[in-house]
Amino acid sequence: MSDSQESVSIQSVARLPVPCHLEYAHTGCSRGRAHGRTHVVVDAPLLAGRLRRDSLDALCRERGRFWGLYGAEGADVGDEPNCTPCRERYERLVAQGVLAPHGGRKRRL
């Protein structure tokens, strides 16, 4: 394979959309109530401009900054993200072809 063919194949692989799924994260409340949001979580490392996320990080922030992210077993996981930063980044990245449309909730083994 020539150098030009090799660089084309590397570029093609690099442009594959990153898969993602939805997970729920609750926020603690001092009054005994808890509420949370459904977030978009990437299944592979993502680098899009200044946005960098490792595998299993939400689009809005890194996984370690949550109290917990829950997959299909989380009670309030919706079918669409309701975290505003996640939803806005998700829509922009899908339109750019960087992120694949989410596959809904992901069941953990």
Side-chain angles (χ1 to χ4, degrees):
M1 185 181 299
S2 71
D3 288 337
S4 63
Q5 289 175 334
E6 186 175 335
S7 66
V8 168
S9 62
I10 290 171
Q11 289 174 353
S12 299
V13 170
R15 291 185 185 169
L16 290 175
V18 174
C20 62
H21 66 278
L22 301 177
E23 289 191 19
Y24 178 81
H26 71 279
T27 56
C29 180
S30 61
R31 297 184 195 139
R33 295 180 308 219
H35 57 86
R37 300 276 183 229
T38 303
H39 299 271
V40 179
V41 176
V42 295
D43 293 332
L46 172 70
L47 175 60
R50 293 182 299 164
L51 179 66
R52 294 176 187 210
R53 293 292 180 259
D54 290 330
S55 180
L56 300 179
D57 281 348
L59 289 179
C60 63
R61 58 185 152 171
E62 293 85 13
R63 187 171 197 87
R65 299 189 63 195
F66 286 101
W67 283 34
L69 281 171
Y70 303 97
E73 64 274 359
D76 296 326
V77 176
D79 292 329
E80 292 298 323
N82 61 4
C83 167
T84 303
C86 276
R87 185 178 62 242
E88 291 171 352
R89 290 175 184 169
Y90 169 76
E91 290 169 353
R92 186 179 71 243
L93 293 171
V94 168
Q96 294 172 354
V98 175
L99 200 63
H102 70 78
R105 296 171 278 198
K106 185 173 187 177
R107 184 170 302 277
R108 293 191 186 170
L109 300 176

